[in-house]
Amino acid sequence: MEQVPTDRLENFPVTFFAVVMGMLGLTLATHAAETAFGTGGVISMIVLAVSVAIMAAVAMLYTAKVFRHRPAVVEEWSHPVKVAFFPTISISTLLLAVAILPYSIGAAHVLWIVGTIAQGILTLSVIANWIGHRTFQQMHLGPAWFIPAVGNVIVPVAGAMLGYQEISWLFFSAGLMFWIILLTLVMNRLIFHDPLPARLLPTLVILIAPPAVAFIAYFRMTGEIDAFSRILLNSGYVFAAVVATQARKFSGLPFALSWWALSFPVAALTIASFLYAGQTSSPAHEFVAGFLLAALVAIVAMLLVRTARAIASRRICLPE
């Protein structure tokens, strides 16, 4: 790999792990489609290999930043928006555990344990940072603050299948509780205060992720589709419709890594739709899942191209 100049490494953002989340989300959505249509697992394995390579590269570069530019990492941790992206590291590890589970239970087990411990530590640390940091203002609040909550409800997706029922319920409860609290705060900010800055507008799509992931996690823990699970899934559809009403505002916006916020929430709703369709034999939900998968593939392809162009033209990893 080409060595990254020191100044660019110093500005290598933790938000790059959102790219990893998006790619692993595509991996899981592709696997869900292959399972639904009985087409084998070749494509999802290829996407998984690409995702692992990207994750390794991002992790290596950010680790180098931690050792060589610690003050820059501390600055990110103190930032009111960027701090919410630190759990993308543990979330990526948990998603990798889910993706690898069909191929290696042992590797998935290790990754899940590491990811769960990291998720617990990062969630508590971020919340402590929010509570104790008195310079945060209403304008700093945004959909990105959902990320720690989303990470907690991802824990049960593999945890329940690995036999960790009580730990899964613990993290699910924490994630659901903070999702409701943060949803109230974020909707208040979006309705009664200044609009989101243009570069953060794509993070609106994160509104879709918590209920969609919670539906998947709830089913993994209970093994059934009941009234509460239907509320979760349909909440995901409602937020998708709300985000769609704002889609025209995305056109013309300059590319930033925050655009990767489009990927994982759509992947989560795609997987949830395939899961519901498979359990209820619903043609309508299977159609919705197929539509969402096509949209997800287009979104990730666009994001990969624009990210590659931004890296090539050195418009990423710059001082803000």
Side-chain angles (χ1 to χ4, degrees):
M1 180 180 294
E2 182 182 354
Q3 186 175 2
V4 179
T6 301
D7 58 337
R8 298 190 72 198
L9 180 62
E10 183 177 2
N11 293 290
F12 186 83
V14 70
T15 48
F16 249 111
F17 282 95
V19 179
V20 180
M21 284 183 60
M23 290 302 301
L24 288 171
L26 176 62
T27 301
L28 295 171
T30 305
H31 185 266
E34 291 170 338
T35 301
F37 300 127
T39 56
V42 177
I43 296 177
S44 62
M45 287 186 68
I46 294 172
V47 180
L48 175 59
V50 174
S51 301
V52 170
I54 292 174
M55 183 175 181
V58 172
M60 184 173 60
L61 288 169
Y62 201 77
T63 300
K65 176 180 176 176
V66 170
F67 284 105
R68 296 175 60 181
H69 300 286
R70 193 177 302 273
V73 176
V74 173
E75 183 179 351
E76 281 189 300
W77 181 258
S78 302
H79 193 280
V81 177
K82 292 179 182 178
V83 66
F85 283 89
F86 276 87
T88 58
I89 300 172
S90 53
I91 292 172
S92 297
T93 307
L94 290 167
L95 290 174
L96 184 57
V98 179
I100 286 182
L101 188 57
Y103 311 106
S104 174
I105 294 178
H109 203 150
V110 172
L111 286 167
W112 182 84
I113 290 173
V114 172
T116 299
I117 292 173
Q119 179 62 34
I121 293 172
L122 283 170
T123 298
L124 291 174
S125 299
V126 169
I127 293 172
N129 197 6
W130 285 342
I131 294 173
H133 204 303
R134 295 297 176 235
T135 60
F136 290 169
Q137 300 176 13
Q138 189 71 31
M139 64 180 181
H140 296 142
L141 181 64
W145 283 39
F146 283 119
I147 295 174
V150 171
N152 285 316
V153 292
I154 289 175
V155 168
V157 176
M161 292 186 285
L162 291 170
Y164 293 95
Q165 281 288 337
E166 294 304 323
I167 294 176
S168 294
W169 278 108
L170 172 65
F171 277 86
F172 181 83
S173 301
L176 202 63
M177 178 182 65
F178 280 106
W179 169 50
I180 294 171
I181 293 171
L182 289 168
L183 179 61
T184 305
L185 295 174
V186 169
M187 291 305 294
N188 177 276
R189 185 257 188 270
L190 293 175
I191 295 172
F192 296 108
H193 298 270
D194 293 337
L196 289 173
R199 66 179 301 166
L200 292 180
L201 198 57
T203 62
L204 278 173
V205 185
I206 297 176
L207 290 168
I208 301 169
V213 178
F215 166 79
I216 301 167
Y218 184 78
F219 175 79
R220 294 300 178 206
M221 291 186 296
T222 63
E224 61 181 5
I225 302 294
D226 59 14
F228 181 64
S229 64
R230 285 182 167 89
I231 290 172
L232 291 172
L233 178 62
N234 285 288
S235 295
Y237 291 142
V238 169
F239 283 117
V242 170
V243 170
T245 65
Q246 306 297 309
R248 62 182 180 82
K249 297 180 181 179
F250 295 176
S251 61
L253 292 178
F255 176 76
L257 283 176
S258 58
W259 277 83
W260 276 94
L262 300 174
S263 56
F264 179 73
V266 176
L269 193 58
T270 302
I271 298 164
S273 299
F274 273 123
L275 178 58
Y276 186 89
Q279 294 298 315
T280 62
S281 301
S282 169
H285 285 84
E286 188 171 76
F287 173 80
V288 169
F291 174 80
L292 289 170
L293 179 63
L296 175 64
V297 171
I299 288 169
V300 172
M302 177 270 292
L303 291 172
L304 285 172
V305 170
R306 298 196 69 172
T307 302
R309 287 177 178 173
I311 292 173
S313 60
R314 297 178 176 269
R315 289 185 287 109
I316 260 179
C317 302
L318 299 173
E320 295 185 0

